[in-house]
Amino acid sequence: MAAEREPPPLGDGKPTDFEELEDGEDLFTSTVSTLESSPSSPEPASLPAEDISANSNDPKPTDTVLDDDREDLFAEATEEVSLDSPEREPILSSEPSPAVTPVTPTALIAPRIESKSMSAPVIFDRSREEIEEETNGDIFDIEIGVSDPEKVGDGMNAYMAYRVTTKTSLSMFSKNEFSVKRRFSDFLGLHSKLASKYLHVGYIVPPAPEKSIVGMTKVKVGKEDSSSTEFVEKRRAALERYLQRTVKHPTLLQDPDLRQFLESSELPRAVNTQALSGAGILRMVNKAADAVNKMTIKMNESDAWFEEKQQQFENLDQQLRKLHASVEALVCHRKELSANTAAFAKSAAMLGNSEDHTALSRALSQLAEVEEKIDQLHQEQAFADFYMFSELLSDYIRLIAAVKGVFDHRMKCWQKWEDAQITLLKKRETEAKMMVANKPDKIQQAKNEIREEIEEWEAKVQQGERDFEQISKTIRKEVGRFEKERVKDFKTVIIKYLESLVQTQQQLIKYWESFLPEAKAIA
Amino acid sequence: MMEEHLEVGKESTPSSMSVDLQGDSSLQVEISDAVSERDKVKFTVQTKSCLPHFAQTEFSVVRQHEEFIWLHDAYVENEDYAGLIIPPAPPRPDFEASREKLQKLGEGDSSVTREEFAKMKQELEAEYLAIFKKTVAMHEVFLQRLAAHPTLRRDHNFFVFLEYGQDLSVRGKNRKELLGGFLRNIVKSADEALITGMSGLKEVDDFFEHERTFLLEYHTRIRDACLRADRVMRSHKCLADDYIPISAALSSLGAQEVNQLRTSFLKLAELFERLRKLEGRVASDEDLKLSDMLRYYMRDSQAAKDLLYRRLRALADYENANKALDKARTRNREVRSAECHQQLCCQRFERLSDSAKQELMDFKSRRVSSFRKNLIELAELELKHAKASTLILRNTLVALKGEP
């Protein structure tokens, strides 16, 4: 019924000017007032304006109120507004396409759009953003911990099991606090599933920690030395950060696979994550193919924002890599300093033993003790250097690779759309040629076929365009979120790291202050 | 390659080197200037003295390292000084490592920014300068100890060294001398056997017995401690150098950020630059107050060991003379000459023992006071740097936390 009615014109008669329509309130109010005045307006004219404006601002709980009293028109409008799944989005962004006829609020509001405009969906974007803001603010409360690495099994089949503990007040989970045991390949499996679902539509899926054949072999073989404990700790911390980043993503948090990973006690083994498995090799081949394709896609970038951002991320990547290399050198040298300090402490102690002047001997022993404590300090600082500073940088280097991947998917999406357009053009040309040719009996069947094909490709072109616009929109949002997170992340870690440096210096002061009187006591 | 002309005044002497020189002011020696040329350093040795021996009250000469070594060797070979600790010779000036590093830097690494390059060059030049100052100080302290010692200061060769305007033609040991040096080392090891008690010589004096065991162990351990202190100092230096590329990378990051991280990164870059300077000072203070002190007393304790085995050699001579006298008496031949010889050996041994005792006690008090001074200064400097670091770290934290 709504489809028959001509959508009411806007009060001010300026259909293409969307800047004024930023505020949903104005939008619905003006529409309602127009309805009231127009002779063909339906019952809703009797509805008070406030109701509708209130509803338009508060998308979430309004379904029931409107459904009962009102016209299909508004009922459908509200339905569209209640956003709860990503699948809905393609519908919302369809307004620019002239062929789309479903009555969406966008069609309601902007009936006469000739030019392609992306800003009408902005209203709904903001509504969704409002939901997410709320999600982030009040009810976004989930804490993940990865702990207690435990070796399971023996020999080359052994693996490390980690305890994943979740503390949350979110209603989507059955309990407030729960934990499960997971192994490294489970994490990789989770990432693989999330990536396959969300990467190609433009979501920045946090990458999982890297595999390390050498590291794991040492652990399997059972070497209980410090390098394998360090390896396990490094991995544990990386897995924790990975999960924390993943649950921070509002869309990924909703994913059932993630929930299953966190909650269910038994998880089907992710076998396709082994480096040398068939699936693994297939992945490598695909990656190589992708790389080649990327080089040959020449996209007509109509949106400078994307070009700018890609350049920005490229620069950021380079700089982070440089910084990361320098910080790794710092970690290495600080560990050396710690070892050298320990060695010196021992020789100072020996010297103190040899020294036959009593007071000097005692002072030298004290010096040895101080140096030993300082060695400990350097070791702890080296850990801080690594786990706070260095790992943050390496995490972001891999995250940016994921961001670049998302931009690449957009290019592929564009390519698909472009290819569809080219095919459509060819089909149309074929049809045109057929029209001109002079074979009446054969032609009718061929004409029908071609007509069908043309329709099929027209749909594909439309879908391609929709997909492209969707992914572009998603990327814009994702990049915005990513940048916000990045700023927060870096600031937090930088502050923590500096505080660790302050701690070290304060301890140094303590130690030297305790030594000074000993030195002065030498008589 | 590098011409480094340095005005070296008294203040620049690394204080670990200044020993308690209670000598009177009748002979004051210092190195007033130094020039580093291609592969040699020229020291200007300035003397102020009212001693009648010298023609003027104030005069200077230019000397090179080999002339210092000649002077040292002359003292060591002089029988008159056998009972004294000869101040250790200064080590040869060695800029090789520093020069190599500067050269490598010059060859260029394209990944390094201009600021980084400038800072690294600055660091290396400072290092070069520090090595230079140290070598000057070590040559100076050698002369000053000689000038302060009541016996050694009166040596004729010393006067020649201080006053003779021409060069002493001792540069570049010829082959005979090198061989002589080699032989001397062999003899030395034989003496080492003496001192380590392997020769079965009976030590009669408790004091010297104690000193012998003490010095043997002490010398080994202080050498170890010195080597390890060097490594610690180098690690600190490495760390300081690491801050250069970190600071540069942070600057670049800050420059291209458009969000709040811009100021954060830039402030962090500044912080690391300051921390670098502090860490560098920690390194150089540890070098001067700890490493150099340990190194000096390693050499000084070697000189004390040398004294001990000169005395033991005298004791061996004395014992041999006793045996010879006994043999002469039993055979009743050349008794008189044997008696004379024995008496001479006895006197020599006793003379050496007396002066060695004094010298060794002086060595101990010198050592204790030097350690005390340097350890106190080390602790005070470490505290100073740690407090300065804390301050700049805290300031940066306040600035970062204060931002929105």
Side-chain angles (χ1 to χ4, degrees):
Chain A
M1 183 168 135
E4 297 156 20
R5 183 179 303 107
E6 187 181 300
L10 289 166
D12 58 4
K14 278 196 278 178
T16 53
D17 189 353
F18 285 102
E19 272 58 81
E20 296 164 47
L21 302 177
E22 295 282 310
D23 190 351
E25 184 169 306
D26 289 339
L27 194 60
F28 281 93
T29 321
S30 63
T31 318
V32 169
S33 55
T34 318
L35 283 169
E36 283 180 40
S37 56
S38 116
S40 59
S41 73
E43 280 75 37
S46 58
L47 277 169
E50 306 92 77
D51 251 302
I52 295 162
S53 3
N55 289 334
S56 70
N57 275 339
D58 191 7
K60 281 191 335 289
T62 56
D63 302 1
T64 45
V65 176
L66 296 167
D67 274 345
D68 294 336
D69 320 304
R70 295 166 34 329
E71 271 292 337
D72 298 350
L73 193 65
F74 286 96
E76 276 171 284
T78 327
E79 247 182 347
E80 292 302 328
V81 171
S82 81
L83 310 143
D84 54 86
S85 77
E87 292 85 64
R88 289 274 188 167
E89 291 153 13
I91 304 170
L92 292 168
S93 62
S94 64
E95 62 55 46
S97 166
V100 172
T101 46
V103 180
T104 65
T106 50
L108 185 70
I109 296 153
R112 307 266 181 253
I113 307 165
E114 260 81 56
S115 60
K116 241 187 248 190
S117 171
M118 303 271 279
S119 33
V122 164
I123 304 152
F124 301 94
D125 265 2
R126 290 179 69 254
S127 326
R128 199 179 335 149
E129 264 168 41
E130 279 165 8
I131 298 179
E132 278 159 9
E133 277 309 309
E134 221 162 349
T135 321
N136 287 332
D138 306 321
I139 58 178
F140 182 70
D141 173 19
I142 176 166
E143 236 178 80
I144 312 272
V146 174
S147 58
D148 306 324
E150 210 179 17
K151 186 166 165 198
V152 176
D154 256 319
M156 285 315 284
N157 290 326
Y159 63 89
M160 290 305 263
Y162 302 87
R163 176 173 299 282
V164 178
T165 311
T166 314
K167 290 199 187 106
T168 176
S169 61
L170 289 171
S171 50
M172 71 173 91
F173 293 102
S174 48
K175 288 185 266 185
N176 277 359
E177 196 171 324
F178 46 90
S179 74
V180 293
K181 280 280 200 183
R182 295 281 178 256
R183 53 186 292 188
F184 186 66
S185 55
D186 293 335
F187 288 81
L188 294 182
L190 172 68
H191 169 74
S192 170
K193 288 195 196 134
L194 293 176
S196 64
K197 280 195 251 182
Y198 296 100
L199 258 185
H200 67 278
V201 284
Y203 288 95
I204 302 173
V205 178
E210 280 171 354
K211 281 195 258 259
S212 164
I213 295 181
V214 174
M216 262 328 277
T217 311
K218 271 208 220 155
V219 172
K220 284 187 216 255
V221 165
K223 282 184 82 177
E224 282 296 322
D225 63 358
S226 62
S227 73
S228 54
T229 28
E230 247 182 72
F231 171 80
V232 170
E233 173 54 27
K234 182 177 168 187
R235 178 164 276 194
R236 182 209 65 78
L239 290 172
E240 195 173 81
R241 290 192 310 270
Y242 163 66
L243 282 182
Q244 283 169 342
R245 285 213 175 88
T246 307
V247 298
K248 272 209 200 112
H249 195 298
T251 310
L252 296 179
L253 182 57
Q254 313 276 341
D255 187 277
D257 280 322
L258 178 58
R259 235 177 299 158
Q260 188 192 38
F261 178 90
L262 293 174
E263 273 186 323
S264 54
S265 45
E266 284 301 315
L267 207 63
R269 263 290 306 274
V271 288
N272 289 336
T273 59
Q274 281 158 334
L276 299 176
S277 70
I281 294 187
L282 187 63
R283 261 200 301 278
M284 283 197 289
V285 170
N286 283 340
K287 268 200 186 137
D290 279 351
V292 172
N293 283 340
K294 209 198 309 186
M295 294 194 282
T296 55
I297 295 180
K298 277 262 182 238
M299 185 167 140
N300 286 338
E301 187 59 77
S302 55
D303 194 340
W305 186 92
F306 285 91
E307 225 171 283
E308 230 178 80
K309 281 295 168 186
Q310 268 183 292
Q311 190 55 52
Q312 247 176 47
F313 279 113
E314 192 55 54
N315 292 343
L316 186 61
D317 183 44
Q318 268 181 24
Q319 289 303 327
L320 285 179
R321 279 175 198 271
K322 244 175 115 181
L323 183 58
H324 182 244
S326 308
V327 173
E328 282 198 310
L330 180 73
V331 173
C332 179
H333 289 143
R334 215 189 283 278
K335 285 192 181 155
E336 261 174 44
L337 175 61
S338 159
N340 288 337
T341 308
F344 174 70
K346 289 205 183 84
S347 62
M350 299 276 275
L351 188 64
N353 280 342
S354 282
E355 177 57 65
D356 63 352
H357 185 276
T358 345
L360 179 55
S361 169
R362 194 175 52 236
L364 285 170
S365 304
Q366 288 296 98
L367 179 68
E369 263 181 52
V370 163
E371 293 285 345
E372 228 180 89
K373 291 193 201 149
I374 291 178
D375 145 50
Q376 262 308 104
L377 215 55
H378 286 313
Q379 254 185 48
E380 283 163 18
Q381 185 59 59
F383 281 145
D385 289 346
F386 180 74
Y387 283 105
M388 288 189 220
F389 206 178
S390 179
E391 286 284 77
L392 172 75
L393 294 171
S394 72
D395 279 353
Y396 268 91
I397 289 170
R398 284 177 311 121
L399 274 165
I400 287 178
V403 172
K404 287 204 231 172
V406 148
F407 277 98
D408 287 343
H409 276 295
R410 177 174 172 268
M411 281 216 293
K412 283 200 260 184
C413 189
W414 181 86
Q415 188 67 64
K416 212 168 141 199
W417 178 29
E418 183 76 1
D419 289 344
Q421 286 180 318
I422 290 171
T423 314
L424 179 62
L425 202 63
K426 286 204 191 120
K427 300 279 178 200
R428 283 198 174 137
E429 281 173 4
T430 314
E431 187 185 46
K433 280 192 202 147
M434 279 191 188
M435 297 298 201
V436 182
N438 250 330
K439 293 203 182 110
D441 26 294
K442 285 188 191 170
I443 246 180
Q444 196 45 50
Q445 184 199 18
K447 266 201 206 165
N448 288 340
E449 264 176 39
I450 235 338
R451 192 59 342 235
E452 265 173 40
E453 281 178 13
I454 286 182
E455 277 172 16
E456 182 194 327
W457 281 96
E458 276 177 351
K460 282 195 182 158
V461 166
Q462 283 161 21
Q463 185 61 46
E465 189 178 4
R466 277 201 296 271
D467 287 345
F468 179 72
E469 266 148 27
Q470 185 53 46
I471 197 178
S472 300
K473 196 171 70 174
T474 306
I475 290 179
R476 273 176 184 265
K477 209 168 60 84
E478 281 288 285
V479 166
R481 195 189 60 85
F482 178 81
E483 286 291 87
K484 254 170 70 181
E485 274 302 312
R486 181 166 77 88
V487 170
K488 231 171 41 167
D489 236 346
F490 268 82
K491 281 195 93 169
T492 314
V493 171
I494 286 174
I495 288 177
K496 247 175 58 178
Y497 178 63
L498 291 188
E499 282 173 350
S500 83
L501 288 174
V502 172
Q503 254 291 82
T504 300
Q505 294 300 321
Q506 291 195 296
Q507 286 293 99
L508 275 175
I509 291 175
K510 230 175 70 175
Y511 296 148
W512 287 109
E513 274 178 350
S514 74
F515 175 72
L516 196 51
E518 290 291 339
K520 289 191 171 153
I522 304 171
Chain B
M1 185 190 93
M2 204 181 209
E3 273 263 344
E4 190 75 49
H5 195 94
L6 202 68
E7 279 298 314
V8 179
K10 235 338 185 318
E11 327 67 36
S12 61
T13 313
S15 46
S16 67
M17 293 309 143
S18 35
V19 287
D20 266 340
L21 301 167
Q22 304 123 326
D24 54 86
S25 56
S26 61
L27 180 63
Q28 281 178 327
V29 182
E30 71 176 28
I31 296 182
S32 58
D33 195 6
V35 176
S36 162
E37 282 170 16
R38 182 157 253 328
D39 52 356
K40 53 192 175 204
V41 181
K42 292 193 173 140
F43 302 95
T44 303
V45 179
Q46 187 183 61
T47 314
K48 291 190 185 124
S49 173
C50 52
L51 288 178
H53 172 91
F54 296 113
Q56 300 161 290
T57 48
E58 222 177 283
F59 49 92
S60 12
V61 295
V62 175
R63 293 282 174 248
Q64 287 183 36
H65 175 73
E66 289 83 356
E67 290 164 300
F68 287 76
I69 299 301
W70 164 82
L71 182 62
H72 173 262
D73 289 350
Y75 275 107
V76 166
E77 286 157 16
N78 193 329
E79 169 60 33
D80 292 345
Y81 308 131
L84 305 175
I85 294 180
I86 312 294
R92 200 177 63 82
D94 183 13
F95 299 99
E96 244 350 277
S98 194
R99 257 196 220 119
E100 254 176 48
K101 281 198 234 173
L102 267 169
Q103 193 157 25
K104 246 200 320 192
L105 184 69
E107 274 154 24
D109 178 8
S110 56
S111 71
V112 168
T113 68
R114 206 180 308 152
E115 289 99 13
E116 273 181 80
F117 180 83
K119 282 189 201 156
M120 281 158 75
K121 185 157 172 281
Q122 206 183 60
E123 275 303 313
L124 283 177
E125 284 174 350
E127 204 179 289
Y128 189 94
L129 197 62
I131 296 176
F132 187 75
K133 280 194 184 163
K134 268 208 258 182
T135 194
V136 167
M138 289 196 258
H139 284 76
E140 189 177 67
V141 92
F142 168 68
L143 295 178
Q144 287 176 336
R145 259 185 79 183
L146 291 170
H149 195 287
T151 314
L152 297 173
R153 79 213 298 245
R154 287 191 253 123
D155 184 80
H156 172 73
N157 288 320
F158 191 40
F159 292 157
V160 168
F161 178 93
L162 291 175
E163 205 182 17
Y164 184 61
Q166 310 295 327
D167 76 62
L168 298 171
S169 306
V170 293
R171 300 179 200 152
K173 291 186 176 175
N174 60 26
R175 193 178 274 168
K176 187 161 139 218
E177 282 180 352
L178 280 170
L179 194 63
F182 176 62
L183 285 172
R184 231 180 294 145
N185 279 333
I186 293 187
V187 171
K188 211 171 181 190
S189 345
D191 288 334
E192 287 277 354
L194 260 182
I195 199 175
T196 53
M198 288 173 358
S199 66
L201 201 60
K202 238 190 346 200
E203 178 56 75
V204 294
D205 192 331
D206 276 345
F207 172 82
F208 284 102
E209 182 55 32
H210 166 82
E211 285 294 308
R212 189 178 63 89
T213 37
F214 163 70
L215 273 176
L216 277 175
E217 197 185 58
Y218 188 82
H219 176 77
T220 318
R221 291 186 179 185
I222 199 172
R223 188 181 49 206
D224 250 354
C226 174
L227 285 171
R228 292 179 183 190
D230 273 347
R231 287 203 205 115
V232 171
M233 184 272 293
R234 270 198 292 271
S235 285
H236 269 298
K237 187 94 206 345
C238 252
L239 218 59
D241 286 344
D242 283 338
Y243 285 147
I244 297 180
I246 290 180
S247 180
L250 285 166
S251 280
S252 306
L253 271 169
Q256 66 191 35
E257 290 280 1
V258 294
N259 51 33
Q260 305 143 310
L261 284 181
R262 184 191 188 86
T263 26
S264 301
F265 282 139
L266 290 176
K267 287 216 171 80
L268 211 59
E270 205 186 297
L271 172 73
F272 275 103
E273 176 55 24
R274 294 217 193 129
L275 284 179
R276 168 179 84 90
K277 298 219 172 88
L278 280 173
E279 193 73 36
R281 271 183 225 139
V282 168
S284 80
D285 287 338
E286 283 188 355
D287 189 24
L288 289 176
K289 303 296 167 192
L290 203 51
S291 295
D292 279 353
M293 173 188 74
L294 292 170
R295 200 180 342 266
Y296 190 77
Y297 282 96
M298 172 183 81
R299 294 204 191 100
D300 219 11
S301 58
Q302 181 62 49
K305 268 170 69 180
D306 291 348
L307 169 63
L308 275 187
Y309 63 65
R310 282 198 294 270
R311 179 186 161 275
L312 279 178
R313 227 183 326 150
L315 179 59
D317 288 346
Y318 180 33
E319 288 213 341
N320 288 338
N322 272 339
K323 288 192 194 127
L325 181 59
D326 283 345
K327 214 159 63 177
R329 282 197 178 135
T330 48
R331 277 193 277 167
N332 207 359
R333 270 188 32 202
E334 294 173 6
V335 174
R336 188 76 62 83
S337 63
E339 273 180 351
C340 269
H341 181 63
Q342 190 254 29
Q343 225 178 15
L344 277 171
C345 286
C346 175
Q347 281 170 355
R348 183 165 176 270
F349 173 67
E350 280 171 0
R351 180 172 57 90
L352 279 189
S353 293
D354 284 342
S355 86
K357 201 170 218 165
Q358 185 57 49
E359 287 284 299
L360 287 170
M361 295 200 298
D362 287 347
F363 170 66
K364 181 166 174 172
S365 60
R366 221 182 18 245
R367 180 176 84 239
V368 171
S369 88
S370 188
F371 267 69
R372 178 177 192 275
K373 180 167 181 287
N374 284 300
L375 287 176
I376 291 175
E377 284 177 4
L378 176 70
E380 285 175 347
L381 284 166
E382 294 268 4
L383 277 171
K384 180 170 154 209
H385 298 320
K387 287 183 180 160
S389 294
T390 308
L391 189 64
I392 58 178
L393 281 166
R394 284 228 170 99
N395 286 345
T396 310
L397 269 170
V398 163
L400 288 177
K401 284 182 180 167
E403 282 169 25

